[in-house]
Amino acid sequence: MNEQLQPLKKQPRAGKAGRSGTQDDIVYAHIFEAILEQRLAPGTKLSEEALGEIFGVSRTIIRRALSRLAHEGVVLLRPNRGAVVASPSVEEARQVFLARRLVERAITELAVQHASTEELAELRQMVNDERDSFSRGDRGAGIRLSGEFHLKLAEAAKNAPLISFQRSLVSQTSLIIAQYESGNRSHCSYDEHTQLIDAIEARDSALAVNLMMHHMDHIDSKLNLDEESASDDLHAVFSHLLQTKKPGRSSIKL
Amino acid sequence: MNEQLQPLKKQPRAGKAGRSGTQDDIVYAHIFEAILEQRLAPGTKLSEEALGEIFGVSRTIIRRALSRLAHEGVVLLRPNRGAVVASPSVEEARQVFLARRLVERAITELAVQHASTEELAELRQMVNDERDSFSRGDRGAGIRLSGEFHLKLAEAAKNAPLISFQRSLVSQTSLIIAQYESGNRSHCSYDEHTQLIDAIEARDSALAVNLMMHHMDHIDSKLNLDEESASDDLHAVFSHLLQTKKPGRSSIKL
DNA sequence: ACAGCGCACATTGTACACAACCCGTTGCGC
DNA sequence: GCGCAACGGGTTGTGTACAATGTGCGCTGT
C-alpha cells in the first residue's frame, strides 16, 4: 500500500511520457496520461499527499502539476476541497466540440499552407502508431495517440496560441470521449486521419477542411451526449424531478 | 525603498483590481494591470522576493500569480532565471492577431445568438467607461477596458473554452498594442464598439461579423509590425547575420 | 593587458512545518 | 426522536528554511 516509484531524481525519462523537463513536467505527464487513458475515472479525488508519495516528490510539485492540469480543463480544482478528475457535463462537452470545430478548421487551412515534408512524415508515423494501438486493443493509448495526432497537426499550423488552445481542447475531448463514448469500437478512425494527411500533402485546402469537418462529425456522432450515461452530477441525474425555478436551492416535488 | 502595501489580508478589495478571490488573485490582477497599462515595460525582470515584499505576501503566492500570467502569455518564465514581462516578437504578434480574428469572428456570431439584454447593457456601460478613460487621457486604463470589452463579449457568447482562450489573446494583444502602437491616438475606437453592440442587438450576424473584422483591421493597422522598433530579441535583431540552418546553435558568418 | 578559471553572491527550486479550513461525528438540548 | 452545535480528524493553504543553479566579479597566469 506504500509503494512508490523510484525517486526519479535525475532519471532521464521515466516510463513513456518523460519529457526533458523538470520534475513537475514528469508528474504532469503521468497524471495526464492516466486520465486520458481512463486509468483515472472522472470524479476521482486527487489527493496531493497521496500523489506526492506515489511519485516521490513533495506536495509542492504535485500542486504545480495539478494547477497546470486544471488550466487545461482535465482537472477541477475546488478551493479548500482538493482536486478531482474533471467530469465534463453534456453542456461543457458541446462547448468544447463547438470550439474544436472552429479551431480544427483553422488549423487545417494553416497546415495546408505550412506543413513541411518532415511533419507530414511524422503525422503518418503517428497514424501508424495509433492503428497499432487500436489493433492491439489498447483503447487508452489509442485515444491518446489520436489526440496527439491532432496536436501535431496544430504544430504544423505554426501558430503558438492555436497550439496551446488545441492542447487544451484535445485534452478535454479525450476526457469526453472516455466518458461518453457509446460502445462503438471504431473511435477516431485512423483512415480519416490518413486521408486528411493526403489532402494536406496535396495542398488541397478545400478538401482537407471538408475531411476534417466530417471527421469532427464522426467523432461526436459516436458519443451519446443526449442521454446522460450514468453521470455523477446529481443535479443532472435528478433534473427531471427538480422544479425549474431559477435561483435558490432546488427542491424535489414529491 | 522598503515600502509595502498594507498586508491585504482580509481587506475586501484592494485598489481597483480587487477580485473576490484569495490573495494570489489580487497579486495576479495587480501585476496584470501594471503590465497592460505599461507601468511595467516589456523585458522587466519580476523578482519573486521583491514582489513578495511589495505585496506583503510570501514567494509562494507570487509564484502562483506569475505562473498564471505565464500561462496567459504576458509573462515569460525562464527556468532558473526568473520571470520577465513578455516582449512579443513581431512574428508572435502576427500569430496572436491571426488567432484573434478567428476567435472574434466566432464569438461575434455566438454573441448574436446568445447575448442577453442585460449583457448588452453591460457592454454599453463598458464602452462608456472606455470612452471616459481615453478622454481623461488615461491611455493604460483605456487599453485595459477595451480589452475587457472584448472579453465581456466572449462571455456573452456562452462558450467556456472560447472565453478562456479569448482572455489569453486579449492579454497578449494589449501587451502588443502597448509595445508596438504607433503614435496614433485613436486606439480601439469605441465608436466601432458601439456599432458592434447595435448590430448584435439587432441580431444581424453578417453585419456584426463585418464590423468586427473591420475593427480587427483597424487595430493592427495602427501597429507598425513591419519595422521592429528597437526589439530586444537579439535573434530578431541580428537575424540577417544568422545562417538559416534548422537545428543546432546558429553561428555568425563573419 | 587580456583570456580563462574559480569563487561568492544572488535568485530560483524544493521540501517541510504550521495554520486555516472543511467535513463527518458525537453529544447535548429541545 | 430530531435538530443543532461543538469537537476532532484530515486535507489544503501559506510561510519559511535549505539546497541547487545561474551570474558576475576578481584573481591568476601567460
Side-chain angles (χ1 to χ4, degrees):
Chain A
M1 206 56 89
N2 211 344
E3 55 187 337
Q4 158 178 340
L5 307 178
Q6 49 261 60
L8 57 77
K9 282 290 179 188
K10 280 304 176 189
Q11 195 173 295
R13 41 216 52 193
K16 34 187 162 181
R19 285 280 205 69
S20 67
T22 141
Q23 294 182 341
D24 39 66
D25 287 321
I26 301 174
V27 174
Y28 163 82
H30 273 103
I31 301 178
F32 186 79
E33 269 199 23
I35 292 178
L36 293 203
E37 300 190 353
Q38 266 196 323
R39 305 200 308 271
L40 277 173
T44 306
K45 189 161 193 309
L46 299 171
S47 158
E48 297 180 359
E49 191 172 353
L51 289 170
E53 208 166 297
I54 290 171
F55 288 104
V57 296
S58 86
R59 281 176 47 216
T60 309
I61 311 293
I62 303 295
R63 182 171 277 265
R64 272 223 295 285
L66 290 177
S67 182
R68 284 182 58 185
L69 290 163
H71 257 288
E72 289 188 5
V74 294
V75 155
L76 184 62
L77 228 51
R78 305 165 302 176
N80 281 315
R81 308 255 341 266
V84 294
V85 178
S87 51
S89 71
V90 172
E91 173 57 23
E92 285 167 329
R94 288 218 181 85
Q95 292 183 6
V96 169
F97 274 69
L98 175 61
R100 254 201 92 166
R101 277 203 152 72
L102 198 77
V103 171
E104 292 283 8
R105 176 181 284 116
I107 283 176
T108 305
E109 289 171 351
L110 289 172
V112 167
Q113 295 175 37
H114 298 129
S116 70
T117 314
E118 296 87 24
E119 284 167 334
L120 289 169
E122 283 185 73
L123 283 168
R124 291 193 191 279
Q125 181 57 48
M126 296 183 79
V127 178
N128 287 339
D129 293 348
E130 186 189 345
R131 187 183 53 228
D132 290 349
S133 288
F134 278 124
S135 68
R136 208 181 331 113
D138 190 346
R139 177 168 172 274
I143 294 177
R144 179 173 52 82
L145 285 168
S146 164
E148 285 174 8
F149 171 85
H150 287 271
L151 197 52
K152 186 76 195 171
L153 205 59
E155 286 170 18
K158 309 275 194 301
N159 186 299
L162 281 182
I163 292 172
S164 150
F165 189 33
Q166 173 81 325
R167 185 186 311 278
S168 167
L169 290 175
V170 166
S171 310
Q172 291 185 70
T173 303
S174 299
L175 194 59
I176 292 166
I177 291 176
Q179 197 177 356
Y180 287 104
E181 187 179 40
S182 51
N184 207 329
R185 63 177 56 264
S186 71
H187 309 266
C188 209
S189 21
Y190 33 83
D191 315 336
E192 296 181 359
H193 284 178
T194 303
Q195 292 176 35
L196 190 57
I197 301 176
D198 291 340
I200 292 172
E201 190 157 33
R203 310 297 172 185
D204 186 339
S205 182
L207 175 59
V209 169
N210 244 323
L211 287 169
M212 178 61 90
M213 290 303 105
H214 280 111
H215 186 42
M216 292 291 115
D217 289 341
H218 289 162
I219 289 179
D220 63 10
S221 75
K222 294 204 185 70
L223 303 182
N224 39 359
L225 288 183
D226 303 309
E227 41 180 329
E228 65 292 333
S229 48
S231 165
D232 53 5
D233 179 358
L234 290 181
H235 284 276
V237 170
F238 297 116
S239 59
H240 59 104
L241 294 177
L242 295 175
Q243 311 189 14
T244 51
K245 289 285 176 60
K246 266 285 196 48
R249 299 228 161 261
S250 42
S251 54
I252 302 277
K253 47 175 176 183
L254 293 177
Chain B
M1 204 54 91
N2 212 345
E3 56 188 335
Q4 157 178 341
L5 308 176
Q6 50 261 59
L8 55 78
K9 281 291 180 188
K10 281 303 176 188
Q11 193 176 296
R13 42 216 54 194
K16 39 184 159 181
R19 284 280 208 67
S20 65
T22 141
Q23 295 181 339
D24 39 65
D25 287 322
I26 302 173
V27 174
Y28 163 82
H30 273 103
I31 300 178
F32 186 78
E33 268 198 23
I35 291 179
L36 294 202
E37 299 189 354
Q38 270 197 321
R39 306 199 307 272
L40 277 172
T44 305
K45 189 161 193 308
L46 300 170
S47 156
E48 297 180 0
E49 191 173 353
L51 288 170
E53 208 166 295
I54 291 170
F55 287 105
V57 297
S58 85
R59 282 176 45 213
T60 309
I61 312 293
I62 303 296
R63 182 171 277 264
R64 271 224 293 286
L66 291 178
S67 182
R68 283 182 59 184
L69 290 164
H71 256 289
E72 287 188 7
V74 294
V75 155
L76 183 62
L77 227 52
R78 305 164 304 176
N80 282 314
R81 308 255 338 266
V84 294
V85 178
S87 53
S89 68
V90 171
E91 173 57 23
E92 286 168 328
R94 289 216 181 87
Q95 293 183 6
V96 169
F97 274 70
L98 175 61
R100 254 202 92 167
R101 277 202 153 72
L102 197 75
V103 171
E104 292 284 9
R105 175 180 286 118
I107 283 176
T108 305
E109 290 172 350
L110 289 172
V112 167
Q113 296 175 37
H114 298 129
S116 70
T117 314
E118 297 87 24
E119 284 166 334
L120 289 168
E122 284 186 71
L123 283 167
R124 291 193 192 281
Q125 182 56 49
M126 297 184 79
V127 178
N128 286 339
D129 293 347
E130 186 190 344
R131 186 183 54 231
D132 289 350
S133 288
F134 279 124
S135 68
R136 207 181 330 115
D138 191 345
R139 176 169 173 273
I143 293 178
R144 179 172 53 80
L145 285 168
S146 163
E148 283 173 10
F149 171 85
H150 286 271
L151 198 52
K152 186 78 195 169
L153 204 59
E155 286 170 18
K158 309 274 196 299
N159 186 297
L162 281 182
I163 292 172
S164 151
F165 190 35
Q166 174 81 325
R167 185 186 311 278
S168 166
L169 289 175
V170 166
S171 309
Q172 292 185 70
T173 303
S174 299
L175 193 60
I176 291 166
I177 291 175
Q179 195 175 0
Y180 287 105
E181 187 179 41
S182 51
N184 207 330
R185 64 177 55 263
S186 71
H187 309 267
C188 208
S189 21
Y190 33 83
D191 315 337
E192 296 182 358
H193 285 178
T194 302
Q195 294 177 35
L196 191 57
I197 300 176
D198 291 340
I200 292 173
E201 190 157 33
R203 310 295 172 186
D204 186 341
S205 182
L207 175 60
V209 170
N210 244 325
L211 286 169
M212 178 60 91
M213 290 302 105
H214 281 111
H215 186 43
M216 292 290 115
D217 290 342
H218 288 161
I219 289 179
D220 62 10
S221 74
K222 293 205 186 68
L223 304 181
N224 39 0
L225 288 183
D226 303 309
E227 43 178 326
E228 66 292 332
S229 46
S231 164
D232 54 6
D233 179 358
L234 291 182
H235 284 277
V237 171
F238 297 117
S239 60
H240 59 103
L241 295 177
L242 295 174
Q243 312 190 14
T244 52
K245 286 287 178 59
K246 266 289 192 43
R249 300 222 160 266
S250 44
S251 54
I252 302 278
K253 50 176 174 183
L254 296 175

